[in-house]
Amino acid sequence: MASISFTRNRILILGLALIFVVSIYIIMFRVIDQRLERLNRRILKEVSLEKSELVQKEFDDFDRIFHLMGLAADEGQQEFMNKLIEQDSVKQFLVAYSYWKSESGVYSKKLTWYNDKSVIDSIFIQTKLFEDITSATFIQGENGMYLRIHIKTNKGVLQLILDLYKFNTYIANQNIGMRAYFELYDDHGICIMHPDLTHIGKKRKEAIMSYPIRDSVILSDHLGLEVLLEEYKLNGIFSDSKFFVNVVLLMTADEVRDIGNTAFLLGALGIATMLLFIFLIDWQNRKAKQLTLRNLEYQKEDALLRFENLKRKVDPHFLFNALGSLQQLIGKDPLQAKTFVGKMAKVYRKFLSRDESGLATIKEEVVLAEEYFFMQKIRFVDTLIPLEINISPEAMTLHIPRFSLQILIENAIKHNELNKEKPLSISIIETQGQLVVRNTVLLKNPDIDSAGYGTQMIAHVYDFYQVQGFEIQHNETDFIVYLPFIHIDSQ
């Protein structure tokens, strides 16, 4: 009996022990399973957040390029805009743009560009700017589906047209959708980004819930699997849109453990990704600056070329007229002829001198203008009123474009009738940080514009030094040119 009792007690103890151990194992595995599930969910959320940030970084790059294009559009630099497109990834899905400048509250189209004019939808060819420029707008075109985006600039609005199919293809090719896929809807619920292109342009099947959606596990109609649905707020051009990240719930316990083993690698990868983006942004900024500097260099070379062309035109013309006047003067007044030769040598020496800056001090320009006018006065005598100059000594050290005063005096004499009854009057007056060159008007041919090649060259120099204020005005009695001072120490 004792033996049987011992056996029963032993079986009971063993059974209780087995039940206890099994219970402990069940509880332990349940706890582990719950922790793995929470860890799995947390990792999934981290993956979701990481994916949204990667997408946001892509969009940040687009924003930066589009805003650079807007700055270039304000300055009319369409060639620079097209270079930005050609050298960036946006060229893969940007199909058209137009720039609308605001003038007194009214927008007018100034710049237009199409990637392929032969297949461009007629819907993009518009004569006025749409009233709603606050958000992205879906467009169903003849040849596809598009998104209209407006970028507000300092002087107007840059309108961009994106091909949605090409846009989705570009995002898919970036390999940022591993274990996840993205959905993007405009403020009307129209799909503009989805891995299944048949969804593009259609409304979301389920009603879009109020922002934000968090920790929602749903059955994906795209994959037929359960996914973790998270909604994120995007910045930039898609700030008014609804952005969803769907992460598949297929990560096993082994994969969770693998994440722990590869945490260092993922961290290094994240840092490398961040550094890469920083490098790309810095590289793109430096590239944009290089393009700007190159453009300025081209302008400078063009300005110098215009100077040289002008000098080549002026030299023979000046010599021919000067020698003709000298020939007449030698017989009449040899002493005056001697003075004339000295003035002629100084003026011609100035023409032959080189200065790559394209600038001269006002004092140098005034001296050249007086000597040149002296020669013309000898030639045309009483048909010219003595030159009027009123400039302060302080202003004499400042700069204006080379030959500008001589060019304006020559233009005044060349384009106007010269007679004793109505002699030509020319004045050079300093006022409010600029020189005002004024001459009376009695045009030989009223149909010919007296502002020609020389004034264009002057304007080009002001453009190069980015100095505003150069202006030409004329009426029935006066021709007026405003020459702002150029402070080269601040350039």
Side-chain angles (χ1 to χ4, degrees), residues 115-130:
N115 186 28
D116 188 351
K117 294 182 179 179
S118 63
V119 297
I120 196 69
D121 279 329
S122 59
I123 193 172
F124 303 148
I125 305 173
Q126 58 195 74
T127 58
K128 64 179 181 178
L129 187 64
F130 288 86

Side-chain angles (χ1 to χ4, degrees), residues 35-51:
R35 291 189 175 183
L36 286 176
E37 185 178 351
R38 288 197 298 268
L39 178 60
N40 189 34
R41 181 68 64 88
R42 186 168 69 249
I43 292 174
L44 289 173
K45 291 180 65 175
E46 291 175 355
V47 170
S48 177
L49 178 61
E50 179 189 17
K51 300 302 181 183

Side-chain angles (χ1 to χ4, degrees), residues 267-312:
L269 181 61
I271 294 174
T273 302
M274 181 182 66
L275 293 176
L276 176 61
F277 274 104
I278 293 175
F279 170 77
L280 290 176
I281 292 173
D282 179 68
W283 177 73
Q284 191 65 39
N285 287 336
R286 284 188 283 109
K287 211 170 185 183
K289 290 179 181 178
Q290 289 174 358
L291 287 173
T292 302
L293 293 174
R294 192 178 304 167
N295 186 42
L296 292 177
E297 288 297 325
Y298 288 156
Q299 291 183 10
K300 183 174 181 180
E301 292 175 2
D302 185 59
L304 296 177
L305 180 61
R306 287 174 180 266
F307 268 114
E308 294 303 319
N309 289 338
L310 178 65
K311 286 167 60 177
R312 283 195 291 270

Side-chain angles (χ1 to χ4, degrees), residues 328-340:
Q328 298 177 6
L329 193 62
I330 289 175
K332 296 180 181 179
D333 190 344
L335 184 60
Q336 188 79 315
K338 183 177 180 181
T339 304
F340 183 91

Side-chain angles (χ1 to χ4, degrees), residues 37-263:
E37 185 178 351
R38 288 197 298 268
L39 178 60
N40 189 34
R41 181 68 64 88
R42 186 168 69 249
I43 292 174
L44 289 173
K45 291 180 65 175
E46 291 175 355
V47 170
S48 177
L49 178 61
E50 179 189 17
K51 300 302 181 183
S52 70
E53 290 177 345
L54 290 175
V55 172
Q56 180 65 66
K57 287 179 180 178
E58 286 288 335
F59 291 167
D60 286 344
D61 276 352
F62 303 157
D63 277 342
R64 181 176 49 77
I65 293 299
F66 294 156
H67 281 88
L68 280 175
M69 290 173 61
L71 293 175
D74 280 342
E75 303 301 324
Q77 296 288 337
Q78 188 167 22
E79 182 179 356
F80 180 62
M81 295 172 65
N82 295 341
K83 286 182 178 178
L84 283 176
I85 296 172
E86 184 61 29
Q87 296 178 10
D88 198 83
S89 55
V90 297
K91 68 180 179 181
Q92 299 183 39
F93 50 84
L94 180 63
V95 296
Y97 71 70
S98 58
Y99 173 69
W100 301 75
K101 188 174 183 180
S102 176
E103 298 173 344
S104 301
V106 178
Y107 288 97
S108 58
K109 186 187 291 187
K110 298 298 182 183
L111 301 175
T112 303
W113 171 86
Y114 302 116
N115 186 28
D116 188 351
K117 294 182 179 179
S118 63
V119 297
I120 196 69
D121 279 329
S122 59
I123 193 172
F124 303 148
I125 305 173
Q126 58 195 74
T127 58
K128 64 179 181 178
L129 187 64
F130 288 86
E131 294 181 0
D132 184 14
I133 59 174
T134 59
S135 60
T137 306
F138 171 78
I139 306 173
Q140 175 65 62
E142 299 171 2
N143 301 318
M145 298 181 183
Y146 305 90
L147 193 68
R148 181 191 293 118
I149 296 173
H150 297 94
I151 304 296
K152 289 185 178 180
T153 67
N154 294 331
K155 300 179 181 178
V157 174
L158 177 64
Q159 179 177 276
L160 307 167
I161 305 296
L162 310 184
D163 186 315
L164 285 180
Y165 288 141
K166 293 181 180 178
F167 176 73
N168 278 269
T169 300
Y170 171 80
I171 294 296
N173 290 338
Q174 299 312 299
N175 294 326
I176 58 178
M178 299 294 290
R179 300 184 182 276
Y181 68 90
F182 313 108
E183 299 176 73
L184 185 65
Y185 299 85
D186 67 14
D187 54 354
H188 299 294
I190 302 297
C191 181
I192 58 180
M193 187 169 75
H194 198 283
D196 186 354
L197 297 182
T198 60
H199 288 249
I200 305 301
K202 298 179 182 178
K203 284 203 171 186
R204 183 180 174 87
K205 292 183 179 181
E206 300 83 15
I208 296 178
M209 294 170 280
S210 60
Y211 179 85
I213 298 174
R214 288 288 180 261
D215 301 335
S216 297
V217 178
I218 64 171
L219 183 64
S220 169
D221 59 349
H222 172 56
L223 298 176
L225 300 171
E226 285 190 333
V227 295
L228 176 68
L229 176 64
E230 297 276 347
E231 181 180 352
Y232 296 94
K233 178 71 173 177
L234 292 176
N235 299 319
I237 57 178
F238 295 111
S239 59
D240 295 328
S241 302
K242 296 283 187 179
F243 179 61
F244 303 96
V245 178
N246 299 267
V247 182
V248 182
L249 296 176
L250 285 180
M251 296 184 69
T252 65
D254 291 338
E255 290 175 320
V256 173
R257 296 188 185 95
D258 289 342
I259 291 178
N261 297 332
T262 57

Side-chain angles (χ1 to χ4, degrees), residues 339-381:
T339 304
F340 183 91
V341 170
K343 298 288 186 181
M344 173 182 165
K346 291 181 180 180
V347 172
Y348 197 67
R349 186 182 301 114
K350 187 69 174 179
F351 285 159
L352 295 178
S353 65
R354 295 184 59 85
D355 186 348
E356 295 184 356
S357 71
L359 301 177
T361 64
I362 294 176
K363 181 177 181 180
E364 292 173 336
E365 289 299 296
V366 168
V367 171
L368 176 63
E370 289 175 334
E371 292 172 344
Y372 180 80
F373 186 83
F374 171 82
M375 296 170 58
Q376 301 304 316
K377 179 70 174 172
I378 291 176
R379 181 181 177 190
F380 297 106
V381 198

